[in-house]
């Protein structure tokens, strides 16, 4: 079965797109401003040397984003290989792990909880908006993908290969591509991870000198 043989997607009542005002709020530079606010929070609250578990979580998130980038071919066919066999949004999951890891490295529980709440509020609607778009592009193929692979929290084992090949029959799309990862600028995930760890260390160092 190929994507072309599947019936066009018909929006269901269960799919709740984000409100127009919220979609507008998230467009433009809003997410960039939230990222800067998070960085400022780290600068104000970081104390002591970065905690090792937090550092490991930051780089785990960066690695997940790098891995996912080697499978993502935007608007061509659904990405189902690698981490996409476990959850539908591994890039966002990697971002969340990096944010939580940074708060953990800074040793601040309140910042960790705040980051988790804001991430859930913002990215929940971002993901819903993207799912609406993907349904229009891929039709029933994406609906089937939704039925077997969870939205955000990974399943313990990958979805069955035969199911994933029905969703995306292109064999090469089921294997990691270093060239594709480079085209998607996957290396930026590790640069960001290193910058986050460095910022936590610098902020803690400056507070130690000031107090």
């Amino acid at each position: 079965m190929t994507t072309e043989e599947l019936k066009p997607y018909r929006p269901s009542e269960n799919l709740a797109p984000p409100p127009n005002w919220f979609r507008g709020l998230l467009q433009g530079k809003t997410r960039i401003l939230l990222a800067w606010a998070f960085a400022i929070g780290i600068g104000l609250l970081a104390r002591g040397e970065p905690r090792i578990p937090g550092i490991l979580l930051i780089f785990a998130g960066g690695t997940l984003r790098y891995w996912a980038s080697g499978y993502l071919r935007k608007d061509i066919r659904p990405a189902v290989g690698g981490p996409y066999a476990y959850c539908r949004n591994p890039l966002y999951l990697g971002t969340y792990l990096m944010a939580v890891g940074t708060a953990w490295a800074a040793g601040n529980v309140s910042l960790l909880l705040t980051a988790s709440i804001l991430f859930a509020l913002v990215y929940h609607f971002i993901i819903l908006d993207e799912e609406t778009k993907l349904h229009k592009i891929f039709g029933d193929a994406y609906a089937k993908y939704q039925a077997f692979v969870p939205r955000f929290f990974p399943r313990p084992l990958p979805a069955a290969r035969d199911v994933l090949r029905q969703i995306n029959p292109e064999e090469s799309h089921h294997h990691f591509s270093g060239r594709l990862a480079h085209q998607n600028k996957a290396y930026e995930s590790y640069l960001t991870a290193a910058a986050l760890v460095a910022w936590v260390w610098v902020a803690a160092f400056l507070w130690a000198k000031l107090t």
Side-chain angles (χ1 to χ4, degrees):
M1 181 183 294
T2 63
T3 317
E4 290 77 10
E5 296 172 337
L6 294 167
K7 297 179 181 179
Y9 167 70
R10 296 290 185 269
S12 67
E13 295 179 356
N14 295 328
L15 188 63
N20 290 332
W21 66 267
F22 201 91
R23 184 187 291 113
L25 179 65
L26 297 179
Q27 291 175 347
K29 300 180 179 179
T30 303
R31 278 182 281 178
I32 297 176
L33 292 175
L34 288 174
W36 275 106
F38 180 72
I40 293 172
I42 292 294
L44 294 175
L45 299 173
R47 297 292 187 275
E49 295 184 0
R51 281 67 172 176
I52 297 299
I55 294 176
L56 294 177
L57 193 57
I58 292 171
F59 280 96
T63 299
L64 178 57
R65 287 188 56 85
Y66 188 95
W67 185 25
S69 297
Y71 293 90
L72 183 62
R73 295 168 173 84
K74 297 180 179 179
D75 301 343
I76 297 177
R77 286 190 185 273
V80 296
Y84 289 94
Y86 294 85
C87 76
R88 301 199 304 269
N89 293 279
L91 286 170
Y92 292 146
L93 178 58
T95 299
Y96 174 69
L97 293 178
M98 293 175 74
V100 170
T102 304
W104 192 349
N108 192 281
V109 176
S110 61
L111 185 61
L112 190 153
L113 295 175
T114 301
S116 296
I117 293 171
L118 287 177
F119 187 95
L121 289 174
V122 172
Y123 280 90
H124 173 72
F125 288 103
I126 290 174
I127 290 172
L128 286 182
D129 204 24
E130 291 183 355
E131 286 180 351
T132 303
K133 173 187 173 183
L134 293 171
H135 270 297
K136 292 178 180 178
I137 296 173
F138 300 124
D140 283 354
Y142 191 75
K144 186 168 188 176
Y145 180 50
Q146 282 185 304
F148 286 91
V149 180
R151 174 180 287 155
F152 190 77
F153 295 104
R155 38 184 294 154
L157 296 174
R161 290 185 179 182
D162 58 336
V163 171
L164 296 178
R165 280 171 170 75
Q166 289 176 17
I167 298 168
N168 183 344
E170 295 288 342
E171 183 62 30
S172 62
H173 292 191
H174 294 260
H175 303 283
F176 179 83
S177 169
R179 177 177 296 180
L180 183 61
H182 183 75
Q183 290 176 353
N184 289 328
K185 299 181 179 180
Y187 54 85
E188 291 182 353
S189 297
Y190 285 120
L191 294 176
T192 301
L196 289 170
V197 174
W199 176 233
V200 173
W201 186 88
V202 168
F205 175 80
L206 292 176
W207 277 113
K209 291 295 183 181
L210 292 173
T211 56

